[in-house]
């Protein structure tokens, strides 16, 4: 099986990974949810109010003097901040309840909206008073942002769960079972505003029964069945399909035309999904509107217009990595002692990886396996793997084995956020499409590292890296770091 085929089939399972913890939304019933937007706004306002009260409580705990004017200024700031956040959030589509990969783009938008709302609210306070309590207002804002993020992450699955199954929605079948088809499933399941309810996939070339495909997420939970066989009137009638999404990039024009004719006969809406572009071009890109014409440009190598972002990212990476190394120096010593006491061999594990533009470098990790373990074998998927040392179980569980990669960040070989660096023998198999992940610095954390697909090898989940490359920016990098710290600090 070639690299692309492995990547397409990695997230397909013959049965749910853990039946007690997964959920198939097909043929279930759920009440419609009509208060999604007011509920989302109310949760944001609650987060801001909680943060203001929390900041005031912390301020008083540290013995800072507060009088009535100080409290009223904080209340005024929170009100101005809340108004600005809701208005700017509506402009940034924060209340449309549409899904993006792992919801990191939403977090990026929340960070951007929060920063501008803080500036506007602070300006409003300075206009009306001569000496506002700047540290108190700053503390309220610093509390509000993560609280908003956490509440949104908690509430969104509940909102999606109670609205994605609305029986009034049109039933949709996805023709195809690759990465594009999975992206559509993930989007629709977690986007309450959409009027489509995916009921499954159709693999016209497949023959294995009882397969399921999981949505993207931090864990494998929601999934939909894969039907095998040729699309015909009987299948469409049995599943009561009103919409077809064609998400098979290998479908030939003749078959596509035949399906379109069948859909027209039955009055079914049909839509194309994925890279339907000349010469098979696909991957990270940006879209421009040129006098009414939509032009999609694909990134090949270094993307234009990113020099300022790259410089700022490098400065932030260096400062943060240096600070973390200094602050965690005692922890490094304790980890080194633990490794030496539980197994023989060096403290650091060194392995050659491929970085930006195909340049090889040596990546560092705290050694978590015995020295007899093959250096380039597939990583353990269970803490009971006999290759893992006693100290290594703790290091891998807490992700502390990755700490020495901060040295790679300081050397400019890696970034805090980016695709994981791949091993040389895998990169040798890359096609030009797959080689696009080498256009940016590899990172310690990123979309793949956060997802449930981290149980598979890196090159079987290429869509995460290309998604990051297409959308990367300063706020997105901050959002990825926050997701790593708040939602996904877990190992094997």
């Amino acid at each position: 099986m070639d690299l692309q085929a492995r990547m397409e089939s990695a997230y397909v399972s013959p049965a749910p990974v853990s039946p007690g913890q997964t959920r198939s939304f097909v043929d279930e019933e759920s009440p419609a949810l009509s208060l999604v937007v007011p509920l989302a706004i109310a949760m944001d306002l609650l987060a801001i109010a909680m943060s203001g009260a929390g900041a005031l409580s912390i301020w008083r705990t540290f013995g800072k003097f507060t009088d009535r004017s100080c409290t009223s200024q904080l209340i005024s700031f929170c009100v101005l901040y809340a108004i600005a956040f809701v208005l700017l959030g509506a402009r940034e589509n924060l209340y449309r309840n549409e899904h993006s990969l792992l919801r990191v783009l939403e977090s990026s938008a929340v960070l951007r909206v929060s920063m501008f709302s803080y500036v506007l609210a602070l300006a409003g306070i300075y206009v009306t008073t001569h000496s506002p309590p700047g540290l108190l207002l700053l503390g309220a804002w610093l509390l509000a942002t993560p609280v908003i993020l956490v509440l949104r992450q908690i509430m969104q699955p509940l909102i999606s769960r109670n609205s994605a199954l609305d029986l009034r929605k049109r039933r949709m079948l996805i023709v195809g079972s690759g990465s594009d088809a999975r992206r559509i499933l993930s989007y629709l399941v977690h986007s309450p505003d959409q009027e489509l309810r995916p009921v499954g996939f159709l693999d016209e070339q497949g023959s294995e029964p009882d397969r399921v495909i999981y949505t993207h997420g931090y864990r494998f939970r929601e999934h939909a069945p894969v039907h095998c066989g040729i699309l015909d009137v009987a299948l469409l009638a049995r599943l009561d399909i009103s919409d077809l999404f064609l998400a098979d990039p290998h479908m030939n024009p003749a078959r596509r035309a035949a399906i379109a004719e069948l859909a027209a006969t039955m009055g079914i809406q049909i839509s194309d999904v994925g890279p339907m572009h000349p010469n098979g071009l696909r991957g990270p890109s940006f879209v421009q509107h040129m006098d009414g014409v939509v032009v999609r440009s694909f990134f090949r190598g270094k993307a234009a217009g990113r020099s300022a972002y790259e410089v700022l990212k490098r400065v932030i990476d260096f400062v943060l990595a240096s600070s973390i190394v200094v602050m965690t120096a005692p922890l490094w010593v304790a980890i080194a002692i633990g490794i030496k006491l539980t197994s023989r061999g060096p403290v650091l594990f060194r392995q050659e990886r491929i970085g930006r533009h195909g340049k090889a470098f040596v990546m560092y990790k705290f050694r978590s396996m015995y020295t007899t373990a093959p250096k380039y074998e597939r990583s353990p998927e269970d803490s009971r793997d006999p290759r893992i040392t006693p100290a290594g179980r703790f290091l891998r569980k807490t992700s502390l084995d990755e700490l020495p990669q901060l040295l790679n960040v300081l050397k400019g070989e890696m970034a805090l956020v980016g695709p994981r660096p791949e091993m040389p023998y895998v990169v040798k198999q890359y096609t030009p499409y797959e080689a696009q992940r080498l256009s940016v610095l590899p990172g310690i954390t990123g979309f793949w590292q956060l997802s449930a697909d981290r149980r598979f090898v890196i090159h079987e989940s290429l869509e995460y890296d290309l998604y990051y490359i297409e959308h990367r920016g300063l706020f997105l990098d901050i959002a990825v770091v926050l997701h790593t710290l708040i939602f996904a600090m877990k190992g094997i």
Side-chain angles (χ1 to χ4, degrees):
M1 185 183 292
D2 60 21
L3 182 60
Q4 183 67 22
R6 290 200 306 272
M7 193 179 76
E8 296 286 331
S9 63
Y11 42 80
V12 181
S13 173
V17 171
S18 179
Q21 298 179 353
T22 61
R23 170 175 168 269
S24 176
F25 48 87
V26 179
D27 298 327
E28 294 184 12
E29 294 188 6
S30 174
L33 191 64
S34 59
L35 299 176
V36 173
V37 173
L39 179 61
I41 294 176
M43 292 303 299
D44 288 342
L45 297 180
L46 175 62
I48 294 169
M50 290 169 53
S51 301
L56 186 60
S57 177
I58 294 172
W59 186 262
R60 288 173 174 170
T61 299
F62 283 92
K64 300 293 185 180
F65 174 75
T66 57
D67 55 17
R68 183 174 297 178
S69 64
C70 183
T71 303
S72 65
Q73 288 173 13
L74 175 62
I75 295 174
S76 299
F77 169 80
C78 290
V79 170
L80 290 174
Y81 174 78
I83 293 173
F85 189 92
V86 171
L87 294 178
L88 293 176
R91 185 175 181 274
E92 290 284 338
N93 295 323
L94 288 183
Y95 303 111
R96 289 198 55 170
N97 296 294
E98 293 184 352
H99 180 74
S100 67
L101 193 62
L102 301 182
R103 301 197 63 82
V104 180
L105 277 184
E106 285 92 330
S107 297
S108 173
V110 167
L111 291 172
R112 186 166 55 251
V113 168
S114 181
M115 188 191 73
F116 287 119
S117 300
Y118 170 71
V119 172
L120 291 174
L122 198 62
I125 294 297
Y126 268 96
V127 167
T128 58
T129 184
H130 296 292
S131 56
L135 287 178
L136 177 58
L137 304 186
L138 177 63
W141 173 64
L142 291 176
L143 277 177
T145 303
V147 171
I148 291 172
L149 289 172
V150 171
L151 285 181
R152 279 178 164 266
Q153 288 291 329
I154 293 173
M155 290 301 299
Q156 186 59 35
L158 300 177
I159 294 173
S160 299
R161 201 167 297 163
N162 288 319
S163 58
L165 309 178
D166 189 348
L167 296 182
R168 296 175 300 177
K169 292 186 175 183
R170 304 195 309 273
R171 294 171 61 88
M172 182 264 284
L173 179 67
I174 304 171
V175 181
S177 59
S179 58
D180 292 324
R182 187 191 187 196
R183 282 280 296 277
I184 285 296
L185 174 71
S186 300
Y187 174 78
L188 290 176
V189 168
H190 300 295
S191 298
D193 286 358
Q194 296 297 318
E195 297 180 355
L196 294 170
R197 177 187 175 192
V199 299
F201 301 86
L202 177 66
D203 184 357
E204 293 194 312
Q205 308 300 322
S207 58
E208 300 179 36
D210 302 324
R211 291 186 297 154
V212 298
I213 291 180
Y214 291 90
T215 61
H216 293 99
Y218 293 108
R219 298 179 181 85
F220 288 132
R221 291 180 61 88
E222 291 86 2
H223 56 273
V226 179
H227 304 276
C228 296
I230 299 299
L231 182 68
D232 56 20
V233 173
L235 178 64
L236 292 172
R238 177 167 62 86
L239 297 179
D240 190 22
I241 299 301
S242 58
D243 288 77
L244 280 176
F245 273 44
L246 305 185
D248 183 357
H250 308 296
M251 183 182 294
N252 61 57
R255 181 56 186 156
R256 188 176 298 276
I259 292 178
E261 183 177 352
L262 175 62
T265 301
M266 299 186 65
I268 292 176
Q269 176 74 41
I270 190 169
S271 303
D272 276 336
V273 176
M276 309 303 175
H277 302 286
N279 305 319
L281 293 176
R282 58 184 303 191
S285 61
F286 62 95
V287 176
Q288 304 174 76
H289 293 267
M290 299 183 178
D291 195 21
V293 178
V294 178
V295 179
R296 186 173 185 183
S297 303
F298 292 83
F299 297 145
R300 292 294 180 264
K302 183 176 180 180
R306 295 208 176 247
S307 56
Y309 159 68
E310 298 285 355
V311 172
L312 184 58
K313 178 184 174 95
R314 175 61 186 147
V315 171
I316 294 175
D317 281 349
F318 187 85
V319 172
L320 288 179
S322 302
S323 303
I324 296 172
V325 168
V326 171
M327 290 187 296
T328 59
L331 181 60
W332 289 54
V333 175
I335 291 174
I337 293 173
I339 293 173
K340 281 295 187 180
L341 290 177
T342 56
S343 63
R344 295 182 179 180
V347 171
L348 292 180
F349 172 75
R350 297 171 173 84
Q351 188 181 62
E352 185 180 19
R353 294 294 179 102
I354 303 300
R356 189 177 191 181
H357 303 319
K359 183 178 179 180
F361 70 96
V362 176
M363 187 183 74
Y364 305 110
K365 297 178 71 173
F366 281 123
R367 182 173 58 83
S368 61
M369 294 191 289
Y370 293 102
T371 55
T372 54
K375 199 170 186 178
Y376 290 95
E377 196 172 79
R378 183 163 179 163
S379 297
E381 297 180 0
D382 192 284
S383 60
R384 295 167 293 184
D385 192 301
R387 294 174 294 170
I388 303 178
T389 67
R393 289 188 178 90
F394 171 75
L395 293 175
R396 298 176 74 88
K397 183 68 175 178
T398 57
S399 298
L400 289 174
D401 60 323
E402 311 281 353
L403 205 54
Q405 288 168 39
L406 292 170
L407 301 178
N408 294 116
V409 175
L410 293 177
K411 294 169 66 177
E413 298 164 337
M414 292 180 63
L416 292 178
V417 179
R420 284 299 290 168
E422 189 56 277
M423 290 181 280
Y425 79 91
V426 175
V427 174
K428 288 181 181 179
Q429 305 177 51
Y430 275 180
T431 65
Y433 169 60
E434 294 147 0
Q436 292 175 97
R437 72 188 305 274
L438 303 178
S439 64
V440 300
L441 280 175
I444 296 178
T445 187
F447 278 80
W448 174 80
Q449 297 91 309
L450 293 173
S451 73
D453 289 296
R454 63 189 177 280
R455 62 180 291 166
F456 305 119
V457 293
I458 301 170
H459 55 266
E460 289 180 350
S461 303
L462 185 67
E463 68 269 20
Y464 290 102
D465 295 334
L466 298 185
Y467 187 91
Y468 168 74
I469 294 172
E470 181 172 355
H471 296 93
R472 71 190 188 279
L474 184 59
F475 286 105
L476 183 64
D477 289 339
I478 297 173
V480 169
V481 172
L482 288 176
H483 275 244
T484 302
L485 295 175
I486 299 175
F487 306 113
M489 278 296 289
K490 50 186 177 290
I492 290 176

